[in-house]
């Protein structure tokens, strides 16, 4: 049985004092869940978030990283740096980074390998635009992104990767994929993993859905056969709402 992993992606929101009170409130509300609870916070919140999440079942993640260990890369943060401050997860290749910060399938692949090499758990994002969906090329886009992201990994490493299927047209728009469409896309991704790395690996890899997930639709999405939880943006900024997503099966 795959575990449900429910991760908040705060994006560029929350000051350290807000992060601290959020974590104090959330930790109380999610203390009895068997689901994995992750908060991917801005770099400036990491230190206080890790400290305040100690002794709770909340894990802290980052939203990006560089693939080199150190060097002349002004403004960048390495996987080693994240690891050293107690980060456990890292989002890689979010569509906003692909769109606004020129991330490519190649940089995503390099970052994924680096994250795994230091023991960070990567959450790699794939997803189609509205235009691609309308053209009927969704399956091709998301399976190609998956293939390129995972290129060169051993099956044992692929099992450690979390894939987030995030249709770009559903991000921050209030439009959610239907549970059938979301499950179908996640199945296509899993099928690609099976083709490349074997069925056993595919059966173990966690694949989330992301895009306008909220407390009101979390249950119907997360109960689908192949959807193993979610990557949540806007609805992860309120502790009450996010706790209701985490506790969807209570
Ligand atoms: P929303 O939940 O705000 O649509 O954002 C989804 C997302 O991009 C999570 O990474």
């Amino acid at each position: 049985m795959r575990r449900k992993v429910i991760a908040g992606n705060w994006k560029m929101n929350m000051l350290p004092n807000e992060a601290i009170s959020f974590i104090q409130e959330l930790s109380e509300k999610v203390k009895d869940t068997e689901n994995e609870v992750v908060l991917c916070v801005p770099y400036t919140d990491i230190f206080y978030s890790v400290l305040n999440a100690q002794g709770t079942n909340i894990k802290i993640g980052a939203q990006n990283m560089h693939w080199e260990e150190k060097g002349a890369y002004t403004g960048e943060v390495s996987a080693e740096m994240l690891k050293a401050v107690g980060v456990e997860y890292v989002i890689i290749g979010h569509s906003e980074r692909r769109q606004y910060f020129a991330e490519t399938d190649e940089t995503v692949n390099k970052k994924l390998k680096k994250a795994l090499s230091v023991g960070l758990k990567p959450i790699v994002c794939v997803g189609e635009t509205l235009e691609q969906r309308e053209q009927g090329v969704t399956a091709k886009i998301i399976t190609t992104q998956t293939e390129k992201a995972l290129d060169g990994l051993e099956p044992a490493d692929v099992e450690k990767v979390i894939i987030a299927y995030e249709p770009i047209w559903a991000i921050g728009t209030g439009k959610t994929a239907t549970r059938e469409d979301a499950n179908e896309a996640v199945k296509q991704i899993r099928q690609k993993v099976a083709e490349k790395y074997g069925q056993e690996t595919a059966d173990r890899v966690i694949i989330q859905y992301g895009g306008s997930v909220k407390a009101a639709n979390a249950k119907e999405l997360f109960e689908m056969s192949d959807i193993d939880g979610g990557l949540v943006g806007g609805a992860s900024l309120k502790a009450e709402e996010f706790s209701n997503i985490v506790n969807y099966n209570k």
Side-chain angles (χ1 to χ4, degrees), residues 109 112 145-153 158 161 163 193 197:
N109 178 250
L112 199 54
Q145 285 176 339
T146 302
E147 198 172 348
K148 291 188 170 171
L150 302 178
D151 188 45
L153 296 186
V158 172
V161 176
I163 301 171
V193 175
Y197 302 95

Side-chain angles (χ1 to χ4, degrees), residues 9 11 91 94 96 166 170-173 210-213 231-235:
N9 173 10
K11 308 192 180 183
I91 298 174
H94 191 280
E96 286 150 16
E166 296 209 308
I171 296 178
T173 57
S212 299
V213 173
L231 186 56
V232 185

Side-chain angles (χ1 to χ4, degrees), residues 26-78:
L26 182 71
S27 58
E28 198 45 43
K29 294 181 191 296
V30 301
K31 63 179 193 300
D32 297 324
T33 186
E34 71 271 23
N35 303 325
E36 179 89 342
V37 188
V38 184
L39 288 176
C40 297
V41 307
Y43 292 135
T44 44
D45 292 342
I46 287 175
F47 179 76
Y48 289 109
S49 299
V50 168
L51 277 185
N52 281 273
Q54 266 170 16
T56 76
N57 56 358
I58 301 170
K59 309 282 165 49
I60 302 301
Q63 300 171 13
N64 182 34
M65 51 163 264
H66 197 275
W67 60 85
E68 292 289 350
E69 180 184 348
K70 55 170 108 167
Y73 301 101
T74 303
E76 291 294 321
V77 169
S78 72

Side-chain angles (χ1 to χ4, degrees), residues 171-243:
I171 296 178
T173 57
K175 284 187 209 152
T176 319
T178 64
R179 61 198 216 133
E180 290 80 15
D181 283 353
N183 199 49
E184 184 56 32
V186 169
K187 273 190 182 169
Q188 287 159 348
I189 294 167
R190 200 178 299 287
Q191 180 57 37
K192 175 55 75 179
V193 175
E195 255 172 54
K196 306 286 286 185
Y197 302 95
Q199 192 61 48
E200 235 175 82
T201 302
D203 287 340
R204 288 199 188 130
V205 73
I206 288 169
I207 310 182
Q208 300 171 314
Y209 167 79
S212 299
V213 173
K214 45 186 190 269
N217 59 23
K219 187 176 167 73
E220 61 181 74
L221 287 159
F222 300 169
E223 278 182 353
M224 295 303 279
S225 65
D226 279 63
I227 301 178
D228 307 320
L231 186 56
V232 185
S236 74
L237 295 170
K238 294 265 179 324
E240 173 75 19
E241 175 80 5
F242 189 59
S243 71

Side-chain angles (χ1 to χ4, degrees), residues 18-19 23 35-36 55 84 129-130 210 224:
E18 295 170 317
I23 289 168
N35 303 325
E36 179 89 342
T129 62
L130 185 57
M224 295 303 279

